[in-house]
């Protein structure tokens, strides 16, 4: 579900709310849960994390009732992201993200496993536990290299670069961010390229290479 701007978000929200009402009337719990999850994604994009969490929690309750592990893991992941990035509630975010990872491991879904590993790396980095963050990032990177999706690999390399810079390992940080930049350029990911260039500028500032 892609939301480009405020008008798109409002229209998408209106359509999803209408769909949710219809799915509930029809007794279609699976589609109702999907609509709620998408409403949560849009609410986050609009800067309404509290409302997003309400939608996600309702979707999670339905998915648990339906017993659909893949969908449960997806909503858990969204809850973890919301609690981490929007509320800085890291304990709750860890609980949701670890549960999502366990489910994804039981399903044998490598792309989803890598996402959960990467998210756990972010969480532990924010908590200052760099050793655990590094372990999760490295596991995510290994899976993503095997899957061969350049933008995903670049995302984890970027995180590893930031983690290295936090410990003043400038050369390592530069190497990770340079590889991420190359992959993003290869994939034609212009927004990602911008993010990598800014990260590399921060590396050079740290190394007193102002020019």
């Amino acid at each position: 579900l892609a939301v480009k701007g405020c008008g798109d978000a409002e229209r998408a929200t209106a359509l999803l709310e209408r769909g949710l009402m219809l799915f509930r009337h029809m007794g279609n719990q699976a589609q109702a849960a999907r609509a709620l999850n998408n409403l949560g994604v849009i609410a986050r994009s609009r800067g309404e994390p509290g409302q997003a969490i309400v939608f996600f929690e309702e979707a999670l309750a339905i998915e648990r009732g339906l017993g659909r592990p893949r969908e449960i893991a997806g909503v858990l992941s969204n809850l973890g992201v919301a609690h981490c990035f929007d509320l800085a509630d890291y304990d709750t975010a860890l609980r949701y993200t670890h549960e999502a990872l366990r489910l994804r491991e039981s399903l044998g879904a490598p792309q989803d496993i890598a996402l959960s590993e990467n998210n756990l790396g972010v969480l532990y980095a924010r908590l200052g536990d760099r050793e655990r963050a590094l372990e999760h990032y490295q596991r995510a990177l290994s899976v993503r290299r095997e899957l061969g999706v350049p933008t995903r690999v670049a995302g984890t390399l970027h995180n590893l670069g930031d983690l290295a810079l936090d410990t003043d390992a400038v050369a390592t940080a530069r190497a990770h961010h340079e590889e991420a930049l190359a992959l993003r350029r290869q994939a034609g990911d212009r927004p990602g390229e911008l993010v990598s260039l800014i990260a590399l500028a921060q590396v050079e500032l740290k190394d007193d290479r102002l020019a």
Side-chain angles (χ1 to χ4, degrees), residues 1-206:
L1 181 65
V3 180
K4 296 179 181 178
C6 183
D8 289 337
E10 289 176 2
R11 176 170 166 73
T13 298
L15 289 170
L16 283 166
E17 286 176 343
R18 183 180 174 190
L20 177 60
M21 182 178 65
L22 290 170
F23 293 138
R24 282 174 166 161
H25 181 72
M26 295 162 57
N28 190 331
Q29 291 286 79
Q31 288 299 330
R34 184 180 180 188
L36 285 162
N37 188 58
N38 286 338
L39 282 166
V41 171
I42 294 173
R44 279 199 70 233
S45 75
R46 297 175 66 172
E48 301 171 356
Q51 184 60 61
I53 286 169
V54 170
F55 286 133
F56 290 144
E57 287 178 344
E58 190 174 351
L60 179 61
I62 294 172
E63 294 294 7
R64 287 195 193 280
L66 294 172
R68 303 198 302 170
R70 182 181 179 87
E71 286 74 15
I72 292 169
V75 182
L76 286 167
S77 182
N78 285 340
L79 277 164
V81 168
H83 279 280
C84 173
F85 291 101
D86 301 330
L87 303 181
D89 180 0
Y90 301 127
D91 289 341
T92 303
L94 280 171
R95 177 164 50 84
Y96 283 130
T97 309
H98 273 296
E99 186 181 351
L101 176 60
R102 288 193 297 271
L103 279 171
R104 286 167 167 173
E105 286 174 336
S106 71
L107 292 167
Q111 184 167 309
D112 294 338
I113 290 169
L115 177 60
S116 288
E117 292 281 14
N118 189 76
N119 288 349
L120 284 169
V122 172
L123 277 163
Y124 283 115
R126 291 192 171 209
L127 287 166
D129 191 340
R130 295 187 179 92
E131 187 174 339
R132 279 191 180 179
L134 181 61
E135 290 172 2
H136 286 290
Y137 283 149
Q138 287 176 335
R139 285 199 286 269
L141 182 63
S142 176
V143 174
R144 286 178 164 179
R145 285 197 191 279
E146 286 182 15
L147 292 171
V149 182
T151 53
R152 296 289 188 180
V153 175
T156 301
L157 284 167
H158 184 101
N159 291 338
L160 281 163
D162 285 348
L163 189 67
L165 195 61
D166 285 342
T167 58
D168 296 326
V170 177
T172 301
R174 183 182 291 112
H176 286 317
H177 283 305
E178 285 179 344
E179 186 180 356
L181 175 62
L183 286 168
R184 284 165 167 166
R185 282 177 169 165
Q186 172 191 328
D189 177 11
R190 295 289 284 171
E193 182 180 347
L194 173 61
V195 170
S196 285
L197 288 168
I198 292 169
L200 280 165
Q202 292 172 334
V203 170
E204 303 309 338
L205 282 172
K206 187 90 166 183

